[in-house]
Amino acid sequence: QVQLVESGGGLVQAGGSLRLSCAASGRTFSSYVMGWFRQAPGKEREFVAAISGSGDILVYEDSVKGRFTIFRDNVKNTVYLQMNSLKPEDTAVYYCAAGTAGGSRWHNERGYDYWGQGTQVTVSS
């Protein structure tokens, strides 16, 4: 069982930055692929980024490439999402997730077994 707790959300102006954190419980954090998803009001939850257990493979959704960076600290059992050049369309609840699926499923929320409660990110124009 893995418990995930996100933090770092908030209100920011367009062009600003935020860093989200997701702290995981358990002693096998490095064995999990970690992903970030987001859900805007009235929309389905969508993939944002994922990182392999060792941190050497990174995958991003096209709209965040070059603006967002996912990274992890396997000593602190934490995964991060650094978000720069934020846009109003980035406004959503952001969720972190942990799973053991192969790379072909990283974009799919069904590839993850554990989810955090979410943290709100609001970008004002």
Side-chain angles (χ1 to χ4, degrees), residues 103-117:
S104 64
R105 299 185 65 189
W106 288 8
H107 292 80
N108 191 326
E109 59 182 286
R110 295 179 182 178
Y112 298 84
D113 303 305
Y114 304 101
W115 292 83
Q117 81 289 350

